[in-house]
Amino acid sequence: MKAGFVNIFGRPNAGKSTLLNALIGEKMAIVSSKVQTTRHRIKAFLNKPGEYQVIFSDTPGIIDPKYKLHERMMDSVKSALEDADVALLIVDANENFEEVDAIFQALRLKVPSIVVLNKIDEAANGKTAQAEAFFTGKPYCRQLIKISALQKVHLNKLLDAVMSLLPEGQPFYSEDDLSDLPTKFFVGEMVREKIYQLFGDEIPYHTAVMVNEFKEKESLVKIQADIIVNRETQKAIIIGDKGSMIKQIGMMARKDIEAFIQQKVFLELFVKVRPKWRDNDLQLKEYGYK
């Protein structure tokens, strides 16, 4: 039996969340074309009873913190560095390899690492060969695997490489579980994802979602959540003309939540203004950024 922590590191938008979802076969992490979508460390379990339990962790993209929120995000990266048995260092095939290398060197990894060259289906001419030449031989690179997380190309090859490095041991979690995070967390993330999909560059980075109520009734699950913003003008944008935008967020999120929990959902959303919440320790803790 093999069991261990396989943690995914990389720059924003390298495809960490897409890779986690593809490996698990479930939508565990929200995905957006915008950078810094992932704010938490999200653990998801790949189980084959009697053979292995791989605890994959998606981590926030590595950035220079500008707010206390960013500092919390980078704390998640640090905690993932501490308990990793294997590290997956994910690189967008079209990225600047020198800059990525500087980040990977700075991680000072003490565990075996696989460089995962992602988005090979979108790679510019010769970029995959350049990446192979560049990363192979780096002190942190035990092996380089070329994949497309979105197209699910070469994922079995990546899993085989992971298994070869995973230590022997007993499962850390129940083999029936998919994650150690509560359903409420994933519900909040699905609402937040719709904000990333529906609004321009600024709004998503100023919002948080707090699920206040998750009540399972006979015929449905009643959920009430607050969308937190910095300013009144942002509140007006989120609500939209005659409530059109918040209605759209609710409809889209409800569809995903119902698919996730396999039950009918009644979703109620409110928008609340909390100025400078991204730099407020108490509010960050309240919204789950510990």
Side-chain angles (χ1 to χ4, degrees):
M1 176 91 194
K2 290 199 160 196
F5 291 81
V6 178
N7 302 341
I8 308 169
F9 303 97
R11 288 176 82 177
N13 245 4
K16 295 179 297 298
S17 300
T18 305
L19 177 59
L20 181 85
N21 293 340
L23 289 166
I24 302 299
E26 293 275 348
K27 188 168 180 178
M28 305 299 293
I30 67 171
V31 176
S32 144
S33 59
K34 296 179 175 68
V35 297
Q36 295 170 39
T37 306
T38 302
R39 290 180 182 167
H40 297 266
R41 178 183 178 185
I42 298 170
K43 289 187 206 141
F45 314 147
L46 187 65
N47 292 305
K48 192 164 184 185
E51 286 191 37
Y52 57 76
Q53 181 179 77
V54 190
I55 300 138
F56 286 105
S57 280
D58 183 17
T59 61
I62 297 164
I63 54 167
D64 286 326
K66 291 190 175 71
Y67 301 97
K68 285 185 177 175
L69 169 63
H70 293 163
E71 287 169 16
R72 298 288 194 286
M73 287 158 64
M74 292 309 97
D75 286 345
S76 297
V77 174
K78 282 176 199 157
S79 83
L81 282 168
E82 283 160 16
D83 66 22
D85 292 301
V86 179
L88 299 183
L89 305 177
I90 190 163
V91 185
D92 179 333
N94 287 309
E95 280 191 274
N96 180 315
F97 301 148
E98 298 277 354
E99 288 175 10
V100 177
D101 175 52
I103 288 169
F104 291 164
Q105 299 272 13
L107 290 175
R108 299 184 192 280
L109 286 155
K110 296 178 177 70
V111 295
S113 308
I114 300 168
V115 172
V116 182
L117 186 69
N118 190 26
K119 306 187 187 180
I120 56 169
D121 51 319
E122 299 170 15
N125 250 356
K127 283 291 268 187
T128 53
Q130 283 171 35
E132 213 158 355
F134 182 85
F135 288 105
T136 304
K138 293 287 181 192
Y140 50 77
C141 180
R142 178 72 68 93
Q143 201 175 341
L144 183 138
I145 308 275
K146 296 172 281 191
I147 68 157
S148 166
L150 192 62
Q151 305 297 333
K152 298 183 171 63
V153 173
H154 296 163
L155 294 188
N156 284 338
K157 201 173 174 183
L158 178 58
L159 270 176
D160 289 345
V162 165
M163 291 304 169
S164 72
L165 298 171
L166 210 61
E168 290 187 0
Q170 290 307 304
F172 291 84
Y173 299 94
S174 162
E175 292 177 314
D176 295 327
D177 291 342
L178 266 180
S179 177
D180 63 341
L181 290 163
T183 305
K184 264 172 81 167
F185 168 81
F186 293 103
V187 166
E189 287 289 273
M190 285 172 199
V191 174
R192 200 166 64 83
E193 180 182 53
K194 302 312 160 203
I195 297 166
Y196 274 79
Q197 288 174 2
L198 290 170
F199 296 92
D201 285 341
E202 185 197 344
I203 292 286
Y205 300 109
H206 290 263
T207 57
V209 176
M210 188 165 75
V211 178
N212 300 309
E213 190 182 353
F214 186 95
K215 278 190 183 162
E216 298 191 46
K217 298 184 179 287
E218 275 182 39
S219 57
L220 54 73
V221 177
K222 186 175 185 293
I223 299 168
Q224 190 275 309
D226 292 339
I227 297 171
I228 312 297
V229 292
N230 266 321
R231 297 192 290 272
E232 288 290 343
T233 50
Q234 294 164 348
K235 178 178 178 176
I237 292 166
I238 293 270
I239 292 171
D241 184 35
K242 296 177 183 162
S244 60
M245 292 311 291
I246 197 160
K247 192 175 175 184
Q248 204 175 341
I249 296 166
M251 281 167 58
M252 289 167 69
R254 195 188 74 237
K255 197 175 165 187
D256 277 10
I257 296 163
E258 286 180 342
F260 186 73
I261 65 174
Q262 296 289 294
Q263 278 177 282
K264 290 290 285 178
V265 165
F266 174 77
L267 176 63
E268 196 173 21
L269 298 174
F270 297 107
V271 187
K272 295 194 173 167
V273 180
R274 298 285 182 271
K276 297 185 179 173
W277 68 266
R278 293 182 299 177
D279 260 327
N280 184 306
D281 285 319
L282 280 174
Q283 285 174 333
L284 284 167
K285 199 170 178 184
E286 189 186 353
Y287 306 149
Y289 302 103
K290 290 170 182 153

